[in-house]
Amino acid sequence: MSGALAFCGALCWAVLASGPARAHVRYVAEDNSGPTNPIDFAVQVLSEPANAVLFGGFAIIGTVGLLGFVWARPTIPDIEVLRATLAEYDDLVPWMLRLSMGLPLVGAGFAGYYFSPAVESQPRLLLLGFGFLLLFGLATRAVAAAALVAYFVGLARSPELLLAMEYIPGLLAVVLLGGGRPSADHMLGAVASASGTYYGRIDPVNRIARRFGAQMRPYARYAPTVIRVGLGVVFVYLGLVEKLLRPGRTLSVVAKYDLTAVIPVDPGAWVLGAGLAEIALGTLLIAGLLTRGVAAAAFVVFTLTLFGIPDDPILAHITMFGLASAVFTMGSGPLALDRLLSDADSGTGRPAPSEQDLADD
């Protein structure tokens, strides 16, 4: 238990300390002056005794805490109640995803960029159409699939769209889960399926949609895995490519917003810490370990970014808010270390909190 708390404390401090520097760096800084060799930069930062002690200490505490958690796996009644409560929100996840994909697409259409603020484009009506149809929940699966194709077409022409790669797991999850409720698809489907309705006589797509939904239903259980792994890859990419491999640009962000006044550490430590924190969060998400805790930490960091970097295009980050919220709601899903540990506990017959309470009584 103490090891788990130590790890969580170290992780939260590292995440919060590097919070404002964890935005999409290219959205708020164009200056790429300063160090360009990432290895030389890391060596220079860690050659400072204070930085070496700081990073070494957190590495030790984090490793020991993580191993302690995996070994002890404490059962906390509050967490169990929270999980049961979140399970009741599963039917709202499709709505959550539609909002987190549709709103930024509408914003992109009005602002004149293509998925990412780093890519200027003019097909405004296309993105506006995708966005509003997702918000309404009309032809949801088809629209999400079309938007995903449009993203990949743009990616082939503009590699900068990798900055908005969170659309891939988000839109793919919408294809798997459908529109859910409330949505126009759900309402129109109910009307079309009812006997004696006029709309049911002319509806051209309800049968096709129901058949396709039935085919997708066995794969819907993998939606949490798709979102979790996708969000983890985004974190690793942003931490590695946007920060550690381009330290000069990130240093300009630290200087521009005077982030060393928030946490009084060396600017280089800010950059290195932000990159390593993102990679750590992403790795844990990909592995599916401490999934809900990592998602909660990510959500807090996104919120802090609103205050730390006031001119950051927040609308472009709503996708990240939505994915983190979905991961927190659904948990790790299958193909995750959390699930393996849970199955191992069940196999060894460890009692649930209610059974433990009965045994104590």
Side-chain angles (χ1 to χ4, degrees), residues 115-167:
F115 288 96
S116 168
V119 180
E120 295 183 0
S121 185
Q122 293 303 320
R124 297 189 175 189
L125 290 179
L126 178 66
L127 296 185
L128 285 172
F130 287 153
F132 279 117
L133 287 173
L134 286 174
L135 290 177
F136 296 151
L138 183 60
T140 307
R141 282 190 166 101
V143 171
L148 194 58
V149 171
Y151 173 86
F152 281 116
V153 171
L155 180 62
R157 301 177 58 184
S158 302
E160 294 85 356
L161 278 184
L162 286 174
L163 290 170
M165 68 170 69
E166 61 268 16
Y167 277 105

Side-chain angles (χ1 to χ4, degrees), residues 14-348:
V15 169
L16 294 176
S18 61
R22 290 165 41 78
H24 289 69
V25 174
R26 203 176 307 181
Y27 292 171
V28 295
E30 295 295 335
D31 181 17
N32 198 24
S33 60
T36 57
N37 189 307
I39 297 178
D40 292 343
F41 172 74
V43 171
Q44 180 182 358
V45 171
L46 295 177
S47 64
E48 294 290 334
N51 294 338
V53 171
L54 179 66
F55 283 96
F58 277 110
I60 294 173
I61 294 174
T63 302
V64 172
L66 182 60
L67 294 176
F69 170 81
V70 173
W71 177 75
R73 296 197 295 279
T75 300
I76 303 175
D78 307 65
I79 301 299
E80 299 302 323
V81 173
L82 177 62
R83 289 174 180 170
T85 303
L86 289 172
E88 301 174 1
Y89 301 158
D90 277 351
D91 63 324
L92 301 178
V93 171
W95 185 29
M96 184 188 305
L97 292 173
R98 288 193 294 107
L99 292 176
S100 61
M101 297 293 113
L103 285 173
L105 285 175
V106 171
F110 279 117
Y113 59 82
Y114 195 75
F115 288 96
S116 168
V119 180
E120 295 183 0
S121 185
Q122 293 303 320
R124 297 189 175 189
L125 290 179
L126 178 66
L127 296 185
L128 285 172
F130 287 153
F132 279 117
L133 287 173
L134 286 174
L135 290 177
F136 296 151
L138 183 60
T140 307
R141 282 190 166 101
V143 171
L148 194 58
V149 171
Y151 173 86
F152 281 116
V153 171
L155 180 62
R157 301 177 58 184
S158 302
E160 294 85 356
L161 278 184
L162 286 174
L163 290 170
M165 68 170 69
E166 61 268 16
Y167 277 105
I168 299 175
L171 292 172
L172 184 56
V174 173
V175 174
L176 291 174
L177 296 175
R181 58 177 191 154
S183 69
D185 287 340
H186 182 264
M187 292 185 292
L188 293 177
V191 175
S193 301
S195 61
T197 59
Y198 294 105
Y199 177 74
R201 302 173 185 174
I202 62 172
D203 178 77
V205 298
N206 181 54
R207 291 183 180 178
I208 299 175
R210 292 176 61 184
R211 189 179 303 115
F212 184 75
Q215 293 175 348
M216 296 300 297
R217 194 168 296 118
Y219 306 102
R221 63 187 294 263
Y222 294 103
T225 304
V226 169
I227 299 172
R228 170 177 56 80
V229 174
L231 185 60
V233 171
V234 171
F235 272 117
V236 172
Y237 175 83
L238 293 177
L240 180 62
V241 176
E242 282 292 290
K243 294 178 177 63
L244 296 187
L245 296 183
R246 293 187 176 95
R249 177 177 287 155
T250 312
L251 281 172
S252 67
V253 174
V254 175
K256 179 179 179 180
Y257 298 101
D258 194 21
L259 297 181
T260 55
V262 180
I263 302 293
V265 296
D266 178 77
W270 260 101
V271 176
L272 190 60
L276 292 177
E278 284 191 341
I279 293 174
L281 289 176
T283 302
L284 288 173
L285 283 173
I286 293 172
L289 185 61
L290 299 172
T291 305
R292 281 195 168 101
V294 173
F299 193 90
V300 171
V301 169
F302 296 152
T303 305
L304 291 178
T305 301
L306 297 175
F307 303 97
I309 302 181
D311 59 343
D312 193 28
I314 299 303
L315 188 61
H317 293 342
I318 289 180
T319 50
M320 303 280 280
F321 276 95
L323 295 184
S325 300
V327 171
F328 183 76
T329 301
M330 295 187 294
S332 63
L335 308 177
L337 290 180
D338 283 340
R339 181 62 60 88
L340 290 177
L341 294 175
S342 177
D343 293 343
D345 290 341
S346 300
T348 57

